[in-house]
Amino acid sequence: MSRKTILHMLTPLRHMSPFDVNMALDAGFDAAIPYTEVGLADIGNLVQDAIFSRPPDAGVATGIFIAGKDAPLALDMLGAAKKAMVPPFEVSVFADPAGSFTTAAAMVAKVEKALIKHHDRGLAGTAVAVFGATGVVGYCTAVIAASEGANVTIVGHDGIDRVADIAASIKERFGVVVEPADGSTDAYKTAIVRATEVVLAAAKAGVQVLSKAQLGSAGGLLVAADVNAVPPAGIEGLKVNANGEPLDATQAVGIGPLSIGNVKYKTQAGLFEQMIKAKKPVVYDFRDAFTLARELAK
Ligand SMILES: NC(=O)c1ccc[n+]([C@@H]2O[C@H](COP(=O)([O-])OP(=O)(O)OC[C@H]3O[C@@H](n4cnc5c(N)ncnc54)[C@H](OP(=O)(O)O)[C@@H]3O)[C@@H](O)[C@H]2O)c1
């Protein structure tokens, strides 16, 4: 008997993201039901409510999606969901808060491809500076790049304190080292880009974080990427659909938000489709997103 595929979509926020609802239904789920203002403490009960309503062989047709805008909280919720399973009563779980896991995965995968193609090297040992690192996309971008062996600096637009706390929590949670840096003035940002080989911009939509002059002074820059599609660009002069073309005023190549968005979209859709087609319940986080984004990035 073919069962209906049902996705329970949980968010700690007041609204479930319409973007994620559309993505889930377009990927093939028969139903996507939003649950809002869900706390970490609610996860166990909600998951057990879902798992015991269907026979064990229907677990694979039942999914939990974890949204929100906080990566550590989403990972804690994913952990709580896994803990709530009572084998053989198990369901699939996928976390992608504010699209950050799939967006960060797509950005790092595109940059890795550009490094290999244009500079004959990978992420390992490469100096990477992440702007917008206090945001959910920047956080996850830093973790993925550092996990791949890059020497990652996370830049705080309002000083070093918050990024220093984030660096400490990343080390504790993932066992990888990222260095905090103060990016609160143009002079500080210039010094940071002069010392880096890759710039990853994940700042708020419509905010320019780096100027052409700053990038022009970065003699060792190899790749600059930006996820902000709302004008002005996060990196001045970087075109939204840049896909490895030379970046004005630099020796580097650029990757724009629409090229990254294309891989992000396919990665999120692909993980939903994998959930639907899986033979056994699956659990996906940013690591699975990066694995798929690497296959999809061209
Ligand atoms: N291309 C794609 O497929 C795609 C998909 C999803 C998201 N995005 C884009 O990815 C970016 C990051 O998303 P997000 O959800 O992490 O965004 P976010 O929460 O709005 O914040 C991103 C970062 O920007 C910082 N910021 C705020 N004002 C700033 C300023 N004036 N100067 C420099 N930095 C500033 C934030 O600092 P605070 O912590 O102080 O707020 C935070 O570190 C956004 O531009 C979003 O539109 C792109």
Side-chain angles (χ1 to χ4, degrees):
M1 179 181 105
S2 111
R3 296 191 190 270
K4 286 201 185 302
T5 52
I6 301 173
L7 188 66
H8 300 283
M9 305 184 78
L10 319 185
T11 180
L13 303 178
R14 217 151 53 82
H15 302 290
M16 172 54 64
S17 149
F19 185 103
D20 292 331
V21 174
N22 289 351
M23 292 286 294
L25 290 171
D26 284 347
F29 277 99
D30 292 310
I33 298 95
Y35 302 75
T36 58
E37 301 188 76
V38 175
L40 179 58
D42 300 321
I43 295 289
N45 282 344
L46 286 169
V47 169
Q48 290 189 345
D49 212 43
I51 60 177
F52 289 126
S53 57
R54 304 181 99 184
D57 68 341
V60 73
T62 313
I64 305 283
F65 180 77
I66 296 169
K69 203 165 165 45
D70 180 327
L73 175 59
L75 291 169
D76 287 347
M77 287 181 154
L78 185 122
K82 277 162 67 179
K83 222 170 132 198
M85 307 292 173
V86 184
F89 293 91
E90 293 174 279
V91 297
S92 291
V93 191
F94 173 24
D96 193 14
S100 61
F101 289 5
T102 47
T103 304
M107 173 147 70
V108 180
K110 289 290 295 182
V111 166
E112 181 185 53
K113 278 273 146 64
L115 279 170
I116 295 166
K117 184 171 171 194
H118 299 282
H119 302 290
D120 201 21
R121 60 186 289 180
L123 287 162
T126 296
V128 171
V130 180
F131 289 80
T134 54
V136 64
V137 173
Y139 174 96
C140 194
T141 299
V143 173
I144 296 174
S147 303
E148 292 304 310
N151 299 324
V152 175
T153 298
I154 56 172
V155 184
H157 72 95
D158 55 356
I160 199 158
D161 292 354
R162 290 167 66 212
V163 279
D165 288 348
I166 290 169
S169 75
I170 284 176
K171 176 139 193 294
E172 196 185 332
R173 187 180 278 266
F174 304 103
V176 295
V177 174
V178 302
E179 294 297 333
D182 183 346
S184 58
T185 69
D186 280 335
Y188 290 158
K189 286 194 280 186
T190 302
I192 291 163
V193 294
R194 279 187 178 157
T196 200
E197 295 167 307
V198 171
V199 164
L200 303 179
K204 187 178 162 172
V207 172
Q208 182 187 300
V209 282
L210 291 170
S211 68
K212 233 179 227 187
Q214 280 170 321
L215 286 180
S217 72
L221 192 65
L222 304 174
V223 182
D226 181 19
V227 281
N228 161 35
V230 178
I235 294 175
E236 188 183 17
L238 179 55
K239 296 194 171 55
V240 283
N241 54 0
N243 192 20
E245 289 81 15
L247 179 63
D248 281 3
T250 73
Q251 313 279 329
V253 296
I255 313 277
L258 297 190
S259 301
I260 295 166
N262 184 33
V263 174
K264 179 252 162 13
Y265 175 88
K266 288 180 184 157
T267 302
Q268 189 176 357
L271 290 176
F272 278 138
E273 283 161 15
Q274 286 182 24
M275 277 175 100
I276 292 166
K277 287 185 191 145
K279 300 280 178 237
K280 287 184 180 162
V282 292
V283 178
Y284 294 143
D285 69 13
F286 64 87
R287 288 161 271 237
D288 308 280
F290 186 57
T291 301
L292 182 55
R294 261 180 159 166
E295 286 170 25
L296 295 166
K298 284 195 214 95

